[in-house]
Amino acid sequence: MGASGHCTVYDFDKAGDDDSEYSLTPAKATAVVRHNYEGRYGWQRADIDDLAAPSGRELRFCVNVHMDWKADKYFLGGCGGSTLDIGFWYKGFEEGFLLPAELPRLKRGGPSSLAMEAGVAWKIALIDSYDLLVRFCTASPAITTGGCGEGPDWGAPMTMAGTYHADGYPGRDLALTWMHLHDKERIDLAVSSPIDVLRARVEASPRGSSVWIIDEERLAREQVLAALDLPPKVLLEALEAAQEKLHPTWEAMQWELSRLIDEIGRSSADERDMIPVTEEHIRFIEEHTPAYVRRLDNGALVLMAHPDRTLWPLWSDALSLLGIRP
């Protein structure tokens, strides 16, 4: 629920084009959801218009859940959430708010450069996307695997911005990426499969085969299998070591950026201007910003980058540290 404690859900038994129930309390929303989800239709969607994000923004967040038979029939993931208003049955498309269109800048006294401005925009989107992914995935122990991507469908995890693993083992990112890119398979229904099942799918591929990831870089079948053969602790420690490998430009500015973000957080609205996020800011984010590995208190693991980035640089560096990639 958002700050108001209300949400909008969809009542499929209502006649007419407008089948939403607006501004419902938790008790009323629960009654509508249970009837449609458990009783008849096997899926449900809800909209939260004022979800409070840690950056201080209010986001619109749409959530949906599908029973297994529904997911299997229509190739849909079990649970999903989005800051994009895609409209009922995808009738419309409206840009969401996860990536800020504006960023705060101090009117006086603070550093001002394209790199620092991009760093502020990076921070806003990163902390909000991380918070949403963790909140959503830890909402129920039934959610064992999660990801942050560009659309409602699962892509290759290594080309997504974030993944969640309830068992603390990130190796399925490798296997699922292989299945999606090599076998051209939708992996929505495979993401929570046992790792030995996923490994067998990789092993069944022809020897010497490889897949293109991004920027002309390829990942070989034998590299995936070598990583999956490692003890989980070794693979995780390599990822944690890889997150320390920063782009020199970012490494040189990160402490100054932290001070700037703290100063902006302490300033009043009168002491700040709002300026637009430009293509130049986005390009800087895409080329310089890092990814992170986070172990949660519940034993889960999150790999996270900015939504304009991917996890591939993190994985590539980790596999290189392990001697699996040149």
Side-chain angles (χ1 to χ4, degrees):
M1 292 293 191
S4 68
H6 293 75
C7 70
T8 298
V9 298
Y10 292 85
D11 189 347
F12 308 124
D13 287 340
K14 289 183 63 176
D17 293 332
D18 187 4
D19 50 11
S20 23
E21 296 271 9
Y22 294 97
S23 195
L24 299 183
T25 63
K28 174 61 176 172
T30 299
V32 175
V33 166
R34 288 193 185 281
H35 172 70
N36 288 329
Y37 178 67
E38 297 178 354
R40 300 191 62 179
Y41 297 100
W43 82 283
Q44 182 58 281
R45 174 183 163 189
D47 293 349
I48 299 96
D49 292 326
D50 56 352
L51 188 144
S55 68
R57 296 186 295 162
E58 285 189 348
L59 303 175
R60 177 169 185 176
F61 195 57
C62 310
V63 297
N64 58 76
V65 61
H66 302 84
M67 282 189 170
D68 288 346
W69 66 267
K70 192 81 171 183
D72 185 50
K73 183 177 181 180
Y74 296 105
F75 296 99
L76 299 166
C79 304
S82 176
T83 54
L84 296 177
D85 180 10
I86 55 177
F88 186 58
W89 288 120
Y90 304 95
K91 289 181 179 178
F93 187 89
E94 179 181 338
E95 188 174 355
F97 303 104
L98 186 53
L99 301 177
E102 295 183 319
L103 64 97
R105 181 176 63 181
L106 293 172
K107 290 182 178 178
R108 61 180 67 180
S112 178
S113 68
L114 174 68
M116 298 299 285
E117 291 168 359
V120 174
W122 163 84
K123 181 69 172 182
I124 293 171
L126 180 73
I127 63 174
D128 288 349
S129 57
Y130 174 82
D131 176 71
L132 284 172
L133 179 64
V134 171
R135 273 205 266 178
F136 193 86
C137 291
T138 58
S140 168
I143 300 176
T144 60
T145 311
C148 177
E150 291 185 356
D153 303 323
W154 272 84
M158 284 183 169
T159 64
M160 297 171 72
T163 54
Y164 168 90
H165 306 277
D167 61 0
Y169 180 59
R172 65 179 50 81
D173 280 358
L174 289 155
L176 290 168
T177 294
W178 182 266
M179 288 172 58
H180 184 71
L181 297 179
H182 182 270
D183 300 340
K184 309 301 180 185
E185 182 173 325
R186 287 194 57 161
I187 59 172
D188 305 59
L189 303 179
V191 292
S192 59
S193 300
I195 191 62
D196 58 336
V197 172
L198 299 178
R199 188 192 186 285
R201 288 292 304 273
V202 181
E203 197 165 22
S205 303
R207 293 179 182 273
S209 55
S210 64
V211 293
W212 172 79
I213 306 291
I214 54 176
D215 298 332
E216 305 300 325
E217 297 192 45
R218 301 188 71 87
L219 180 68
R221 167 189 178 271
E222 285 69 27
Q223 292 171 342
V224 174
L225 293 175
L228 294 178
D229 285 341
L230 293 171
K233 180 181 179 182
V234 173
L235 190 59
L236 177 54
E237 288 176 348
L239 286 164
E240 290 179 324
Q243 74 178 334
E244 303 300 326
K245 184 181 177 181
L246 302 177
H247 189 286
T249 300
W250 187 264
E251 186 171 21
M253 62 177 277
Q254 62 175 333
W255 301 116
E256 185 181 6
L257 175 63
S258 294
R259 290 194 296 270
L260 174 61
I261 290 172
D262 288 342
E263 190 173 353
I264 290 174
R266 293 192 303 269
S267 65
S268 66
D270 292 339
E271 297 173 305
R272 301 191 298 263
D273 285 323
M274 298 301 293
I275 63 172
V277 176
T278 66
E279 290 295 326
E280 287 74 19
H281 292 129
I282 295 172
R283 191 174 302 113
F284 183 92
I285 290 170
E286 291 174 341
E287 294 175 357
H288 298 90
T289 57
Y292 295 100
V293 181
R294 293 292 180 264
R295 304 191 195 201
L296 305 186
D297 292 340
N298 66 351
L301 180 76
V302 175
L303 308 183
M304 198 77 213
H306 183 278
D308 277 324
R309 290 280 272 165
T310 75
L311 295 176
W312 170 243
L314 177 71
W315 270 108
S316 179
D317 288 341
L319 296 177
S320 295
L321 289 172
L322 292 166
I324 293 174
R325 279 177 57 82

